[in-house]
Amino acid sequence: MTRTTEYAAGALRVLAVDDEKPALDELVYLLRAQPGVGEIHGAADATTALRVLRAHAIDAVFLDVNMPGLDGMELAGILSEFASPPAVVFVTAHDDRAVAAFDLGAVDYLLKPLREARLAEAVRRIVAARSTPAPVVDEPRADPSEVIPVELGGVTTLVPRSSVSWVEADGDYARLHTSGGSHLVRIPLSALESRWQDAGFLRVHRSYLVALRLVTGLRTVGTATVVCLRAEGNAGAVELPVSRRQVRELKQRLVHGPRQQWTGQ
């Protein structure tokens, strides 16, 4: 849902996220009444929220904690890694996650049932935080040394992102395919897509995320398109399907993308 109306310049562009429709509708209704709020989007889960964040400039996210799949805390952790992260305000019926919320940099923590006065205070805090210049930090958007912890048989192994060739969705999990084998991790593919999009990975299909540095070409099979990845280490070459809507973006990234950044050089 999106509020489409005229609003004052400088008004907050807001995303409300709650898996319970009555609660989401109420939150959007109350946000609409705030004079400092302009454009409003709604999402019923974290995956939809990430899609909205990719498609629109969002200043603040009002976020429930308990949601199926990727929960509010996990989503807030992903948002904190954005180059320009939106302000996060938790709106929840649970009062035992406040410490964790503020550890993640939340601007405020509101308890349900939501009171309009507290919501107004949260909006004021966001506006005040936006008016305070943030310190300039010279650091890359994506850390080339990132590792993913993988647990197998009680042993935790750290898998470097640089060793991942492609990632496959496996229900609420993701399977990392590396030069040394595959690893199942309890991270949704959408979360890795968001975290790795600036590190040379592209979601080519609803089930696949690929490392662009390994792409050798595209091939047409009947009416479908597949992307070809070169062999690396003990892993053989592989071909993966590309959804129609992603073919153009994949071609653009391959032609114009800064390939030297993909390898962390």
Side-chain angles (χ1 to χ4, degrees), residues 61-214:
V61 179
F62 288 75
L63 180 60
D64 188 22
V65 173
N66 289 345
M67 297 187 296
L70 198 69
D71 69 21
M73 291 293 176
E74 292 169 324
L75 178 57
I78 293 172
L79 300 183
S80 68
E81 297 179 4
F82 281 23
S84 298
V88 172
V89 173
F90 284 98
V91 183
T92 177
H94 304 275
D95 61 1
D96 59 345
R97 306 294 294 278
V99 174
F102 287 115
D103 283 345
L104 287 169
V107 173
D108 210 337
Y109 191 91
L110 309 181
L111 292 177
K112 300 176 182 178
L114 190 57
R115 293 186 293 113
E116 189 170 356
R118 279 293 287 118
L119 182 62
E121 174 61 25
V123 171
R124 283 194 292 270
R125 291 185 182 185
I126 295 169
V127 172
R130 292 181 72 206
S131 64
T132 303
V136 177
V137 180
D138 186 15
E139 61 180 11
R141 293 181 64 182
D143 181 3
S145 64
E146 181 181 350
V147 295
I148 301 296
V150 175
E151 294 188 11
L152 182 61
V155 177
T156 300
T157 302
L158 299 180
V159 177
R161 185 186 61 206
S162 59
S163 70
V164 177
S165 303
W166 54 287
V167 187
E168 179 181 9
D170 193 340
D172 292 332
Y173 296 75
R175 184 170 294 278
L176 310 177
H177 293 267
T178 72
S179 56
S182 66
H183 310 275
L184 189 65
V185 294
R186 192 175 180 179
I187 305 175
L189 188 64
S190 58
L192 291 177
E193 175 191 10
S194 177
R195 287 167 56 177
W196 292 2
Q197 62 183 343
D198 295 322
F201 283 78
L202 179 68
R203 182 87 169 261
V204 298
H205 185 275
R206 64 181 181 181
S207 298
Y208 301 108
L209 181 71
V210 303
L212 295 174
R213 59 185 170 80
L214 298 180

